Amino acid sequence: MKNFDYAVAATPADAVRLVAERPGAAFVSGGTDLLNLMRDCAQTHDRLVDLNGLDLGGVALRGDVLRIGGLARMSDVARHPVVRTRFPVVSEALLASASPQIRNMAALGGNLLQRTRCGYFRDPGSACNKKVPGSGCPAITGENRGHAILGGTDQCIAVHPSDLGVSLRAVDAVIRTRGPRGERAIPFGEFQVPPGSTPERETVLEHGELITSIDLPFSALAGKSSYLKLRDRSSFEFAVVSVAAALELRGRTVKDVRLAFGGVATTSWRSTDAEAALRGKVLDAASIGGAADAAVRGAVPREHNGFKVELLRRAVTRALTDLGGVR
Ligand code: SF4
């Protein structure tokens, strides 16, 4: 691991300045991903700015939103009574993530910024466009069982690993930040950047821009929501396929719906096509089947991950069937 300076931020403004003034600096809170990346030389920094003294944890009601601090720990948010009852998909996604020990350490902001689990990215000896732009993507023709079938390009097909991110797409969350140019609010659907030809850039954040909070708007949709995660083992494992679903029903008719997927895409993937296949329809096996088909339309499977197409179709079917109480 490369040597680095360590600084403790006293205020959010102090934290932003300490990172913004040095190109190789980074924020650290739980450090559950960052320190592994630095140890494996997948990411190097010459300064870490410790955020743990900042008052950016906690969960509070703010008018028509629930505001969660960017430094709130995953386990605290997962068991918060308002999150559990009004945003069950968020609580379930957090509880399905990592291990209890990591959930006790990891902050929500850091969870959204965790890097891909692509083995080539994490291997110091491998080429990778995300690590070194222009060096190539060995996953395209190599080991790609865990890679994306949606949103990939010939530059990168890495999956975004955050369960939380998938759940935030289903509840129309907004990310609030403070950076060198002031504060801003970013709808979560605009927060992540698909790989395109610049896979090294994963979010719209500027260098030195800090996630201060995450706003969850209260809605009927968010109140009837769930997270289904399919993985290779039952704990401490990343998703092979996951589905965040939120439903607002009028009788048996779908008034509104959100569907977002993890484990299959380069970002926390919302399928507006699958949602459109349900909106205004009676929720039954036929309409759910239409949504499941729409969910995988346009998928581009690779040599080792073709199974994800059918698995995603079935996961969407099960998530909607269970959430909607379809017999
Ligand atoms: Fe790197 Fe992306 Fe290719 Fe993985 S899929 S090797 S992260 S460029």
Side-chain angles (χ1 to χ4, degrees):
M1 184 189 281
K2 193 179 149 197
N3 287 344
F4 57 88
D5 296 344
Y6 172 76
V8 177
T11 64
D14 193 30
V16 169
R17 178 184 57 77
L18 284 165
V19 171
E21 69 186 11
R22 194 183 288 192
F27 301 117
V28 63
S29 50
T32 53
D33 190 34
L34 180 65
L35 298 183
N36 287 336
L37 289 164
M38 291 176 69
R39 185 196 59 203
D40 296 342
C41 297
Q43 203 165 301
T44 56
H45 297 287
D46 55 18
R47 174 187 284 173
L48 291 189
V49 176
D50 190 333
L51 304 175
N52 287 299
L54 305 184
D55 185 20
L56 291 177
V59 178
L61 294 173
R62 288 278 188 278
D64 57 356
V65 305
L66 188 69
R67 179 160 297 170
I68 303 174
L71 295 182
R73 304 296 164 181
M74 293 171 71
S75 50
D76 292 337
V77 177
R79 65 174 174 242
H80 191 282
V82 180
V83 178
R84 286 173 53 195
T85 54
R86 303 295 300 272
F87 304 94
V89 66
V90 175
S91 174
E92 291 170 18
L94 287 167
L95 289 173
S97 304
S99 65
Q101 292 85 355
I102 289 175
R103 293 196 294 270
N104 287 339
M105 282 293 295
L108 257 59
N111 179 282
L112 296 176
L113 299 177
Q114 66 181 296
R115 309 298 302 279
T116 181
R117 309 310 296 187
C118 172
Y120 300 108
F121 174 76
R122 301 237 166 199
D123 173 20
S126 292
C128 168
N129 286 330
K130 197 181 273 298
K131 272 189 309 197
V132 181
S135 62
C137 175
I140 299 277
T141 54
E143 177 44 61
N144 49 37
R145 178 181 183 274
H147 288 70
I149 57 172
L150 295 165
T153 67
D154 62 357
Q155 296 292 303
C156 182
I157 54 170
V159 161
H160 195 280
S162 170
D163 294 299
L164 172 67
V166 182
S167 73
L168 294 187
R169 292 230 60 185
V171 298
D172 301 331
V174 174
I175 306 295
R176 303 186 75 88
T177 69
R178 178 179 188 134
R181 292 194 284 177
E183 299 182 1
R184 61 175 172 157
I186 309 165
F188 189 65
E190 298 168 16
F191 179 75
Q192 297 173 327
V193 177
S197 58
T198 55
E200 70 280 7
R201 185 152 187 264
E202 295 174 355
T203 72
V204 296
L205 292 182
E206 294 179 59
H207 181 64
E209 191 170 3
L210 176 67
I211 295 176
T212 52
S213 62
I214 300 166
D215 282 355
L216 307 183
F218 288 101
S219 69
L221 262 179
K224 187 174 178 61
S225 61
S226 67
Y227 191 69
L228 172 66
K229 179 173 179 176
L230 307 178
R231 45 192 159 176
D232 286 331
R233 58 181 180 183
S234 61
S235 72
F236 198 7
E237 189 56 277
F238 293 89
V240 175
V241 170
S242 69
V243 175
L247 268 178
E248 184 179 357
L249 297 174
R250 185 181 287 143
R252 295 305 303 161
T253 300
V254 178
K255 184 177 176 203
D256 205 358
V257 57
R258 296 285 183 280
L259 285 169
F261 312 139
V264 291
T266 50
T267 58
S268 307
W269 189 267
R270 180 176 166 191
S271 177
T272 52
D273 287 348
E275 293 170 5
L278 285 168
R279 210 169 274 120
K281 305 251 177 69
V282 172
L283 188 71
D284 58 16
S287 61
I288 290 173
D293 289 342
V296 299
R297 208 167 289 140
V300 180
R302 309 283 168 169
E303 183 177 1
H304 304 293
N305 67 5
F307 71 97
K308 285 189 178 182
V309 177
E310 181 58 19
L311 197 58
L312 176 58
R313 235 183 53 76
R314 294 187 189 201
V316 169
T317 302
R318 185 170 134 198
L320 288 168
T321 301
D322 290 350
L323 184 63
V326 176
R327 303 278 167 241

